[in-house]
Amino acid sequence: MKPVLIALLPAITLAACGGNDVTAPGDAPTAPASTDSASTDTASRNAAPDTPAEAIAILTSLGGDYVDADLVNGARQFRRCQSCHTLNEGGRHTVGPNLHGVMGRAAADADRFSFSSQLSEAGLIWDLETLDAWIENPRALVPGNRMSFVGLRDAEDRRDVIAYIAVETTE
């Protein structure tokens, strides 16, 4: 587990379990301290039982609908991508670039990979919205790029694969 998240694990676990909301008989329950713990709690409830706290924390940090992402479906959807992309840190490029650390990175900014001039000149940053549009239809977002993927039309499948990539590649 990554050192930063190990240090946060007790707080994440406490938030996922509802914090210190233990009450004595007859006491009124207290409200959660912040919406962050509510989001973590939602992610914990919606995650598969064996989802690590680290993954729940990453989904919570993404916010919005990503808190409800299905990582099992994301892994299944990513199978379409793995014929061209790898996710592991220091992984090699294949037909497409390695995607480790892609979140927040400028498009066409992977060492030792040759990108199309269209993608290089597009000025994109791989944030959630841009990744969603790219995965939906790469040719519509950047006409003339070399990615041959036709796109993933289902919004929930796109959400799940983006969440999976984020969990698998967050440093």
Side-chain angles (χ1 to χ4, degrees):
M1 202 177 279
K2 297 182 172 99
V4 173
L5 290 174
I6 289 174
L8 294 174
L9 191 57
I12 293 167
T13 304
L14 191 60
C17 295
N20 290 326
D21 293 342
V22 178
T23 58
D27 286 351
T30 58
S34 72
T35 56
D36 290 339
S37 66
S39 295
T40 302
D41 191 43
T42 300
S44 297
R45 279 195 314 271
N46 293 331
D50 59 346
T51 302
E54 178 179 331
I56 292 171
I58 292 168
L59 295 177
T60 301
S61 73
L62 296 176
D65 290 340
Y66 291 93
V67 172
D68 297 323
D70 179 347
L71 295 177
V72 173
N73 183 49
R76 185 173 39 253
Q77 296 303 322
F78 187 77
R79 287 185 198 141
R80 300 174 187 197
C81 310
Q82 71 188 67
S83 61
C84 297
H85 297 282
T86 58
L87 292 175
N88 54 320
E89 185 173 8
R92 65 186 180 88
H93 301 304
T94 58
V95 173
N98 173 283
L99 298 178
H100 192 282
V102 72
M103 301 295 289
R105 187 169 70 198
D109 186 28
D111 290 339
R112 300 176 319 276
F113 189 82
S114 176
F115 292 92
S116 68
S117 60
Q118 291 83 356
L119 186 59
S120 297
E121 296 166 4
L124 301 175
I125 301 293
W126 295 126
D127 58 20
L128 296 172
E129 295 79 23
T130 305
L131 279 169
D132 184 65
W134 178 261
I135 294 170
E136 181 178 19
N137 188 342
R139 302 237 178 223
L141 184 63
V142 181
N145 79 78
R146 290 193 307 239
M147 188 163 161
S148 62
F149 182 61
V150 297
L152 190 56
R153 304 292 180 241
D154 184 86
E156 287 184 8
D157 287 345
R158 289 193 312 273
R159 174 204 64 195
D160 294 346
V161 77
I162 292 168
Y164 175 76
I165 291 168
V167 166
E168 292 296 313
T169 66
T170 297
E171 298 178 342

